[in-house]
Amino acid sequence: LILAVLVVAMVLTGTAVAQEGEPLRIGLLTDLSGALTIYGVELENGFKLGLLYAAGIDPTEYDSLDAALADVVVAGRPVEVFVRDNASNADTASSQARELIEQEGVEILVGAPSSGVMTGVQQVALDSDVLVFATPAASPVITGANFNVNTFRVCRNTFQDFLAFAPYATAEIGTNFVILAIDNDFGRGSAAAAQATLGSAGISFPGEPIYAPLDTTDFTPYLQQVLNSGADGFLPIWAGDGSVTLFQQIAELGVQDQLAVVAAFNSNDIVAFSDPSTIGNISWIVYHYSFPQNEINDWLVEKHRAIFNDVPDLFTECAFATAQAIVAAVEASGGETLPSDLIPQLEGLVFEGPKGTYAIRPSDHQALVPMYIAQLANLDDPDFNFYTLLAEVPLYQIIPPVLLPEAILADRLALDEEFNAMIAAMGEE
């Protein structure tokens, strides 16, 4: 019996030592050729820089970004990142996720720009018993009706957008809004979030949201419905390169002359194509490299400029912060990556990232993050410094609702007691 125990102990010890040196494989699901390519590039660049920062590696000391990444070690395990382009196709992404897990041995999934892609990948991750980090897909459904315990999101969801902006909307614009949104998971989820959040702030909606397909190139019939709505505020909810076409046609039809156009500020290259009539507009923005004043954001901006000859953009930040959270959790688990090992490390995790303080809510795995209110000052700054910052809205002022299915809501809410007290204390400091 003693001999048997010794043999088992030796085997277990050998396994632990082998695990320590085994590569930690991460699958990055992105869009590098579809409608959301601009966000896909931000995702990949931000995530890789976040890994380097968390590992204490300066990429400018290497001949290439890949060479720097080859030196990333987490909990004694060298990290390998497998990038897959799904072109925002949900079936492609789900197939790629399964292939990464089953053939490449990927232990953690990250991505993607498309919310519709992510709802499918969530199920793949659950079936395969790996964690998935929704980055930067923003539909509230991901951490709401479609939630499962293997899903985390360090990025914001669109409830946080509208919660941040609601006080400005009612004070500066009006109380009667019409919505035009993409006819997909992101658009419908975001429209519902806008109605709930802005509605509770006193804004009414004269009719149901107007939906248009993602591949729309002629927005005229939809914008005519907007003009005929009788609203005094217009909220377009769009994403990707199609935003340029939409806002060009908004200007061409003179929509802004009849209604106040209220839209999230987008990635720099998209905003640069805006009509000059939008200068002076006030809205929310997820991130702009010039806003946060902290050492981590300074590092991100400096290294991003050096490596990519460009500034970080809209979703570079939350991809970076996602990498930080993954490294922190894997380090805390001693290199173990099963959900049973990582979930306890991630639920309630509070850390400092490019925007300041991030806090992952235990119940729905949705991060609370700061947001920004800005005014568009110009469209031609060579360094994309387009904005005047009006307000940084701290995370404790924009707490999105927990939207979990009724069957699990009560049990999951019980996990938030200490977390909620901590967040409330932040607001009292």
Side-chain angles (χ1 to χ4, degrees):
L1 179 60
I2 293 174
L3 180 59
V5 171
L6 288 173
V7 171
V8 170
M10 290 172 65
V11 171
L12 291 176
T13 301
T15 302
V17 171
Q19 172 75 3
E20 182 176 334
E22 289 179 359
L24 167 58
R25 296 180 171 95
I26 299 173
L28 188 66
L29 304 169
T30 189
D31 183 343
L32 300 177
S33 60
L36 303 181
T37 296
I38 192 167
Y39 307 144
V41 172
E42 294 166 12
L43 163 58
E44 182 177 353
N45 293 351
F47 186 76
K48 289 178 175 179
L49 286 178
L51 287 176
L52 292 166
Y53 176 83
I57 292 175
D58 182 349
T60 62
E61 297 178 353
Y62 291 77
D63 292 336
S64 68
L65 182 61
D66 288 340
L69 288 165
D71 277 355
V72 173
V73 177
V74 177
R77 303 182 62 186
V79 174
E80 297 178 0
V81 180
F82 295 77
V83 179
R84 295 291 184 271
D85 171 19
N86 56 61
S88 289
N89 182 288
D91 291 338
T92 299
S94 294
S95 296
Q96 290 173 341
R98 283 190 289 269
E99 176 264 330
L100 285 169
I101 295 165
E102 296 168 4
Q103 298 181 28
E104 302 292 352
V106 158
E107 299 165 65
I108 295 171
L109 294 172
V110 177
S114 164
S115 294
V117 161
M118 288 315 301
T119 53
V121 171
Q122 282 182 272
Q123 188 60 48
V124 174
L126 184 64
D127 293 343
S128 303
D129 201 28
V130 302
L131 289 193
V132 59
F133 289 78
T135 312
S139 172
V141 171
I142 292 168
T143 45
N146 210 56
F147 170 83
N148 66 57
V149 293
N150 286 20
T151 300
F152 283 84
R153 178 159 51 192
V154 177
C155 304
R156 103 299 182 202
N157 74 48
T158 48
F159 262 98
Q160 286 149 294
D161 295 353
F162 302 122
L163 285 166
F165 191 68
Y168 290 84
T170 53
E172 303 291 337
I173 296 166
T175 58
N176 198 9
F177 276 36
V178 59
I179 296 172
L180 168 61
I182 308 173
D183 191 5
N184 62 12
D185 288 344
F186 166 74
R188 289 186 175 274
S190 299
Q195 289 176 304
T197 304
L198 299 179
S200 65
I203 289 172
S204 60
F205 299 87
E208 292 300 311
I210 302 163
Y211 293 105
L214 177 61
D215 60 359
T216 299
T217 57
D218 181 6
F219 289 91
T220 303
Y222 305 105
L223 293 175
Q224 197 59 56
Q225 292 180 59
V226 168
L227 290 169
N228 294 337
S229 67
D232 47 31
F234 170 34
L235 179 58
I237 299 174
W238 214 264
D241 296 343
S243 301
V244 174
T245 303
L246 170 59
F247 285 94
Q248 285 175 341
Q249 293 180 18
I250 286 172
E252 290 168 3
L253 291 174
V255 177
Q256 71 280 359
D257 297 331
Q258 298 187 44
L259 298 88
V261 180
V262 185
F265 290 129
N266 214 312
S267 294
N268 292 327
D269 288 332
I270 293 175
V271 172
F273 281 98
S274 300
D275 188 89
S277 65
T278 60
I279 294 174
N281 282 5
I282 295 172
S283 192
W284 69 92
I285 188 169
V286 174
Y287 167 82
H288 189 265
Y289 78 94
S290 66
F291 293 165
Q293 302 300 310
N294 61 65
E295 292 182 0
I296 299 175
N297 190 63
D298 290 345
W299 188 98
L300 169 57
V301 173
E302 178 188 347
K303 307 310 175 187
H304 198 284
R305 285 184 188 272
I307 299 298
F308 303 112
N309 194 31
D310 196 5
V311 294
D313 214 330
L314 191 68
F315 296 128
T316 315
E317 158 272 323
C318 81
F320 185 104
T322 298
Q324 287 184 276
I326 290 172
V327 171
V330 174
E331 290 280 6
S333 73
E336 300 297 330
T337 57
L338 287 174
S340 57
D341 297 307
L342 291 182
I343 289 172
Q345 312 304 330
L346 289 161
E347 288 184 346
L349 177 67
V350 179
F351 65 97
E352 295 302 305
K355 290 205 295 187
T357 302
Y358 299 66
I360 300 177
R361 187 162 55 190
S363 61
D364 59 357
H365 299 173
Q366 172 63 57
L368 308 187
V369 297
M371 292 284 291
Y372 303 96
I373 305 299
Q375 185 169 30
L376 186 63
N378 70 83
L379 294 171
D380 54 9
D381 186 279
D383 218 19
F384 299 110
N385 213 333
F386 295 148
Y387 305 103
T388 300
L389 176 63
L390 300 182
E392 177 179 339
V393 188
L395 63 88
Y396 54 79
Q397 288 185 6
I398 42 175
I399 301 174
V402 178
L403 300 172
L404 297 172
E406 194 68 32
I408 62 173
L409 181 60
D411 289 341
R412 299 295 303 176
L413 281 177
L415 301 175
D416 287 345
E417 185 175 347
E418 292 184 9
F419 179 84
N420 289 341
M422 176 192 67
I423 297 301
M426 289 183 183
E428 295 169 0
E429 292 178 355

